């Protein structure tokens, strides 16, 4: 197995670099194969956790670069086509890290992947005069999904990242309709909080307790 790992993984990566001058599709194919072998090799018994981590990240990097090369060959210009593959592999690596080290914080395991998935798209939305409606929907739905997942699993990073992304994207969407429109939800929120002050104080205490128990 070690021989297969060296020949299929490391040697393939070396050939990919050598072939970079010639044909990018060949490089992508070599990187896909190398990433798969490195990922399987990371699960080989007897490895230290540091060794597994290095193999996981090398495999993820190889697969992501291969995906970027393939998309560039087809002139794919959508930002998410480049950010989501990296985010997906980062989340997979984070989940594997959590399997071997359950004491890790969710900021270490899920934070990088979620930021890579939602951060660039959110930045484009709030800095573009006329952002794409589909991108706006994706950012809001992605933020809500991360929020719900974090709440369900008891993980701080998805909860906070999802909340921040959803709030910023929703407020930006309202601001596009006119600054005065922002006063409507803010006014309703103030009325709601004022009418239910005592109940919300008790709810806040329960939320603080639940948050302190999250990773």
């Amino acid at each position: 197995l070690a021989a297969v790992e060296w020949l299929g993984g490391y040697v393939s990566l070396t050939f990919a670099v050598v072939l970079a001058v010639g044909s990018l599709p060949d490089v992508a194919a070599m990187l896909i194969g190398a990433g798969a072998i490195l990922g399987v090799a990371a699960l080989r018994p007897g490895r230290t956790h540091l060794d597994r981590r290095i193999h996981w990240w090398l495999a993820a990097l190889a697969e992501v670069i291969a995906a970027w090369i393939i998309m560039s060959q087809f002139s794919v210009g959508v930002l998410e086509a480049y950010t989501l593959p990296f985010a997906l592999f980062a989340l997979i690596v984070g989940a594997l890290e959590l399997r071997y080290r359950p004491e890790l914080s969710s900021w270490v395991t899920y934070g990088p992947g979620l930021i890579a998935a939602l951060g660039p798209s959110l930045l484009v939305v709030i800095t573009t005069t006329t952002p794409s409606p589909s991108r706006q929907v994706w950012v809001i739905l992605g933020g809500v999904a991360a929020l719900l997942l974090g709440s369900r699993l008891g993980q701080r990073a998805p909860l906070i990242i999802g909340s921040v992304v959803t709030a910023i994207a929703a407020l930006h969407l309202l601001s596009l309709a006119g600054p005065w429109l922002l006063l409507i939800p803010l006014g309703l929120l103030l009325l709601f909080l004022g009418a239910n002050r005592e109940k919300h104080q008790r709810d806040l205490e329960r939320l603080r307790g639940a948050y302190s128990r999250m990773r």
Side-chain angles (χ1 to χ4, degrees), residues 102-182:
E103 76 279 2
L104 286 177
S105 165
S106 60
W107 289 105
V108 176
T109 54
Y110 297 123
L114 289 172
I115 292 173
L118 299 172
S121 299
L122 176 64
L123 186 62
V124 171
V125 165
I126 63 178
T127 57
T128 304
T129 307
T130 55
S132 166
S134 60
R135 178 172 284 127
Q136 287 180 308
V137 171
W138 143 246
V139 170
I140 292 176
L141 290 181
V144 171
L147 190 160
L148 294 175
L149 184 64
S151 177
R152 183 177 181 81
L153 298 180
Q155 302 286 339
R156 290 183 183 181
L159 179 68
I160 294 177
I161 293 173
S163 300
V164 171
V165 168
T166 303
I168 294 176
L171 289 174
H172 179 72
L173 184 61
L174 287 172
S175 70
L176 294 178
W180 292 105
L181 194 60
L182 286 173

Side-chain angles (χ1 to χ4, degrees), residues 49 56 88-102 104 108-110:
H49 180 70
W56 284 334
L88 176 61
F89 281 109
L91 289 172
I92 292 174
V93 171
L96 291 171
E97 289 270 8
L98 191 61
R99 177 183 175 185
Y100 287 94
R101 297 179 63 189
L104 286 177
V108 176
T109 54
Y110 297 123

Side-chain angles (χ1 to χ4, degrees), residues 167-200:
I168 294 176
L171 289 174
H172 179 72
L173 184 61
L174 287 172
S175 70
L176 294 178
W180 292 105
L181 194 60
L182 286 173
L183 297 178
I184 297 176
L186 290 177
L188 292 174
L189 178 62
L190 290 174
L191 287 174
F192 180 73
L193 292 176
N196 299 274
R197 183 172 177 273
E198 292 185 2
K199 180 179 181 298
H200 282 287

